[in-house]
Amino acid sequence: MSRADETRDGVSLTNLDQPLSDGDDATKRDLVDYLDAVHERILPALRGRPLSVIRVRPGQPSFMQKNLPKYTPEWVRRTSVWAEASHREVSYALCDDRRTLLWFANQRAVEYHPTLATVEDLHRPTHLVLDLDPPEGDSFGLAVAAALLVRQALADAGLAGAVKTSGAKGVHVFVPVAAGTAVEDMAAATRAVAARAERLDPALATTAFIREDRGGKVFVDSTRAGGATVVAAYSPRLRPGVPVSFPVDWADLGDVAPADFTIRTVPALVADRDPWAERMPAPQRLPADLVAEGHTIPIARVQAMHEGKRRARARRAAG
């Protein structure tokens, strides 16, 4: 076995000294070492949840993998989920332990995107999530400001959430919801929180799903509901420097930058604590008025689809 190969927890790790991706100084070993160092922190966010990963190979574009490849070891737990879009069963991994995480790392799986629901009940997400997506450019500060609007909207409704950097340019707010809440009510409440945040400062925040309608504002994305995935806390992101999606205290959110948290800096920050678990409130019941308001708000993706078709017809008529 060459120095670039080794075995951990029964998993053969290969080509560890190869570059992780083109144009980055990180190696595959850096990825493996990082995920191994934080496995006790990231696994609680992955365990029991159908997992999609983003993989990369040198000289090739990255790709999202949902369906497990045929060569997957039989000891990797999995669950079959019917995919309406492709009309087939998809075999998703359940990344429940260090061994499985190391196997994914050896597959050059850089990003980890679990579903918001667990395999016990795939129709009931455990968290309400708002994704704050700022405009292009150096705009993380705008995402932070919009996240504070979401926090205010939640507080006004008697709710509390935890916040993390997305690891890219945005911010994610997670609100744990009491078991038994209907998925339609969770989705409605998410839309209502987004709308209330937008009303607090319409010059900063927008719920406009169509990009050209956002006018340089932060998109308060309420569509991460139902069967959606969101990148896990502590997951690396496939970007220069390999940043990590990292939990931040609300009081510190304005003082950090996404680049502060990378596969090189994060292990020391979580060596003796789990800030995501520490900052996550207990599951909460959704207020009836919030749910009722949300049910009056059109689903953004559906509304955008109809609006896109209307605009296309108008362009054709004008042409």
Side-chain angles (χ1 to χ4, degrees):
M1 186 180 290
S2 74
R3 202 182 72 79
D5 299 344
E6 60 180 83
T7 300
R8 296 187 206 178
D9 205 0
V11 178
S12 295
L13 305 168
T14 57
N15 302 314
L16 292 175
D17 295 332
Q18 283 186 355
L20 181 59
S21 61
D22 296 333
D24 204 317
D25 63 354
T27 64
K28 184 176 171 183
R29 183 185 298 277
D30 292 329
L31 175 70
V32 170
D33 285 349
Y34 168 75
L35 289 167
D36 203 8
V38 304
H39 73 269
E40 291 183 356
R41 304 291 177 250
I42 193 172
L43 283 173
L46 305 180
R47 194 171 284 123
R49 297 175 187 268
L51 180 66
S52 302
V53 295
I54 293 181
R55 294 175 55 192
V56 64
R57 297 180 180 128
Q60 298 180 29
S62 61
F63 62 99
M64 178 167 270
Q65 174 184 293
K66 300 174 184 285
N67 208 26
L68 281 171
K70 288 186 169 58
Y71 56 80
T72 303
E74 79 285 344
W75 45 260
V76 172
R77 276 193 72 208
R78 63 202 75 193
T79 187
S80 290
V81 179
W82 177 257
E84 197 56 53
S86 54
H87 295 286
R88 64 180 182 133
E89 291 277 335
V90 176
S91 180
Y92 283 91
L94 300 172
C95 189
D96 292 349
D97 53 34
R98 177 186 178 225
R99 189 184 188 191
T100 304
L101 187 64
L102 286 170
W103 179 79
F104 270 115
N106 191 60
Q107 296 292 309
R108 295 177 180 269
V110 179
E111 299 192 12
Y112 294 76
H113 296 250
T115 57
L116 289 173
T118 66
V119 72
E120 277 74 38
D121 191 345
L122 289 173
H123 301 291
R124 291 192 191 275
T126 54
H127 295 74
L128 179 157
V129 174
L130 279 303
D131 178 8
L132 291 308
D133 183 16
E136 291 302 318
D138 186 16
S139 53
F140 181 72
L142 294 177
V144 168
L148 295 175
L149 296 180
V150 169
R151 187 191 192 197
Q152 184 63 53
L154 289 170
D156 292 346
L159 298 170
V163 64
K164 66 183 180 72
T165 66
S166 70
K169 58 189 176 74
V171 174
H172 295 150
V173 179
F174 273 60
V175 181
V177 177
T181 306
V183 64
E184 296 83 7
D185 289 345
M186 283 190 69
T190 310
R191 295 195 295 276
V193 171
R196 291 181 181 190
E198 180 182 33
R199 289 200 294 271
L200 288 171
D201 189 349
L204 169 66
T206 179
T207 55
F209 189 81
I210 299 174
R211 191 176 296 273
E212 65 197 48
D213 293 348
R214 296 178 192 168
K217 302 173 188 178
V218 178
F219 176 42
V220 185
D221 185 356
S222 63
T223 65
R224 302 298 184 95
T229 65
V230 181
V231 73
Y234 310 119
S235 171
R237 302 304 300 270
L238 191 55
R239 284 168 169 75
V242 200
V244 167
S245 180
F246 196 78
V248 181
D249 192 270
W250 281 107
D252 299 330
L253 192 57
D255 300 320
V256 304
D260 294 343
F261 310 109
T262 71
I263 58 172
R264 292 186 169 88
T265 64
V266 165
L269 299 176
V270 299
D272 55 1
R273 54 190 289 258
D274 182 350
W276 192 229
E278 289 169 11
R279 292 172 178 140
M280 189 65 67
Q284 298 148 81
R285 298 213 167 276
L286 298 176
D289 67 315
L290 188 74
V291 172
E293 180 184 335
H295 278 300
T296 70
I297 300 171
I299 298 170
R301 191 172 273 118
V302 175
Q303 187 182 32
M305 181 181 69
H306 291 309
E307 177 62 15
K309 289 178 179 176
R310 187 194 67 76
R311 292 183 190 185
R313 285 195 301 271
R315 283 195 297 271
R316 286 196 298 271

